[in-house]
Amino acid sequence: MAALAGCGTTADRTAAPAPTKAFHWTSSAPLISPQPAPDQTIYAVKDPSIVNVNGTYHVFMTTAGSVGWGLAYTSFDKWPDAASAKIVPLAKSPMGPGYRAAPQVFYFAPKKTWYLVYQGSDPLYSTSKDIGDPMSWSAPQPFFPVVPDIVKLPQGHGWLDFWVICDDRKCYLFNTDDHGRLLRSETALGEFPNGFHNTVAVMTEKTEDLFEASNTYKIADTNTYITLVEAVSPQGRYFRIWKSDGLDGKWEPFSSAPMNTFAGRDNVEQLWSEGISHGEMIRTNADQTMTIDPCRPLEYLFQGNDPAVHVADYIKLPYRLGVITAKGDNPVSALCR
């Protein structure tokens, strides 16, 4: 007798594979590396943010050089073209020179405007109407008129690596502090980029277990959000992953791997780097919802460094950018409908 629809036989249920609860990846070679600059030595390219618009990748990054930290831009249509694509410093745009790092780029659909979020001493943003024109970015503007008390020394530890994501009511700004805290601020969608307030700690762990470079996404066609935060181990940097049913909700581990690992030395094949550090998911759209498609193989653009190169000065660590691609099923792909 045929089994009833949706029930299956005992043998069928026994044979069905259990949903995977961990991630596995394979790595590209380094794809984006420093290029010669007329005014300084560029040691590293870091902290990438990426969107794909009409078939073209747009990548923003931190440059680490002999005159300090800055932001830069490159674009290309296919990954084999990334290495030869020109990297353009943004210091000559209206954004101007000075300390800038850790960019995040997205299209804010309600205002039909591109936003570039980055860190100065505090969270800053610039805007553009043309993501393909690196000279179009506006002068920096602060998100906060006054630094929140939770961030100020001595009770706070400063803030860095800012990340904006919005739902249909509010925009949230997440950041880390290199001391084991993930912080969140909020504003109404209609007030963005103004009005951020209510800065609170939403996760607190040991410093090395919740370090920096948080990035948060919505999984398409679900009510699930994921957040990734970089951690530090003796084997190098790696990312951990949590999930929530809302940007203002509680974050719970989203991997059964030790330390709810998302990506690191233990689960990335062909890895040329000491670990997996500051990066961003390659998303299915470019807007403020930060949506990823669970039905497509996950790709993550990351910064990595050669484990054989040891330097005392952090700015001289030879970071390069590469891509890891998910292999097989994982907790995100399990949500594909």
Side-chain angles (χ1 to χ4, degrees):
M1 182 177 68
L4 295 175
C7 294
T9 66
T10 302
D12 290 336
R13 294 196 298 271
T14 302
T20 182
K21 295 183 179 180
F23 294 86
H24 301 279
W25 308 84
T26 185
S27 177
S28 73
L31 298 172
I32 301 176
S33 300
Q35 295 176 357
D39 57 345
Q40 65 171 320
T41 299
I42 303 296
Y43 306 120
V45 288
K46 306 179 70 239
D47 312 329
S49 184
I50 182 170
V51 291
N52 189 295
V53 182
N54 298 326
T56 296
Y57 289 109
H58 301 267
V59 178
F60 295 80
M61 68 198 86
T62 305
T63 55
S66 54
V67 300
W69 306 91
L71 296 182
Y73 163 83
T74 191
S75 65
F76 47 88
D77 292 342
K78 298 179 181 179
W79 286 114
D81 302 328
S84 59
K86 183 180 180 181
I87 296 176
V88 181
L90 299 184
K92 293 184 178 180
S93 76
M95 185 184 298
Y99 172 68
R100 286 103 173 78
Q104 180 209 10
V105 68
F106 62 90
Y107 183 71
F108 189 64
K111 293 187 176 181
K112 299 180 179 180
T113 300
W114 290 97
Y115 277 76
L116 191 64
V117 178
Y118 50 97
Q119 67 185 54
S121 56
D122 296 317
L124 303 172
Y125 70 89
S126 294
T127 61
S128 171
K129 293 294 186 178
D130 182 1
I131 192 173
D133 179 3
M135 295 298 105
S136 66
W137 291 99
S138 67
Q141 295 292 327
F143 278 109
F144 292 79
V146 178
V147 176
D149 288 342
I150 193 173
V151 175
K152 294 178 182 177
L153 297 174
Q155 68 268 27
H157 297 283
W159 49 357
L160 76 163
D161 294 344
F162 303 100
W163 183 271
V164 170
I165 179 172
C166 308
D167 58 24
D168 58 358
R169 297 185 305 109
K170 293 183 178 181
C171 291
Y172 298 86
L173 185 148
F174 290 89
N175 70 272
T176 44
D177 68 357
D178 279 357
H179 283 77
R181 293 193 304 177
L182 178 67
L183 305 180
R184 184 193 67 216
S185 307
E186 64 182 71
T187 189
L189 182 69
E191 291 187 25
F192 179 85
N194 302 308
F196 276 105
H197 66 287
N198 191 27
T199 303
V200 296
V202 295
M203 281 198 285
T204 302
E205 296 200 17
K206 294 180 180 178
T207 292
E208 64 270 24
D209 294 339
L210 196 75
F211 193 57
E212 61 187 26
S214 74
N215 44 123
T216 301
Y217 308 92
K218 178 179 173 60
I219 299 178
D221 300 321
T222 75
N223 294 320
T224 300
Y225 291 85
I226 58 171
T227 197
L228 314 174
V229 185
E230 185 178 323
V232 183
S233 78
Q235 289 75 43
R237 305 286 185 101
Y238 69 104
F239 273 96
R240 302 175 65 197
I241 182 169
W242 292 261
K243 68 174 181 177
S244 178
D245 59 5
L247 291 169
D248 57 355
K250 180 181 179 180
W251 295 100
E252 300 177 344
F254 196 36
S255 169
S256 63
M259 297 299 291
N260 48 295
T261 297
F262 176 72
R265 287 206 62 84
D266 292 339
N267 66 343
V268 179
E269 297 177 5
Q270 303 175 21
L271 184 60
W272 46 271
S273 168
E274 184 179 33
I276 301 293
S277 186
H278 196 133
E280 183 172 316
M281 202 82 78
I282 299 174
R283 296 180 276 124
T284 55
N285 67 359
D287 73 17
Q288 73 281 352
T289 63
M290 298 290 153
T291 301
I292 58 172
D293 185 351
C295 301
R296 294 172 53 181
L298 301 179
E299 294 179 291
Y300 194 81
L301 180 63
F302 74 101
Q303 69 175 30
N305 64 301
D306 185 342
V309 177
H310 301 280
V311 294
D313 190 351
Y314 179 75
I315 201 170
K316 294 183 178 180
L317 283 173
Y319 279 109
R320 308 292 186 262
L321 306 183
V323 172
I324 55 173
T325 302
K327 294 182 59 179
D329 295 332
N330 58 66
V332 171
S333 67
L335 297 178
C336 176
R337 298 291 182 260

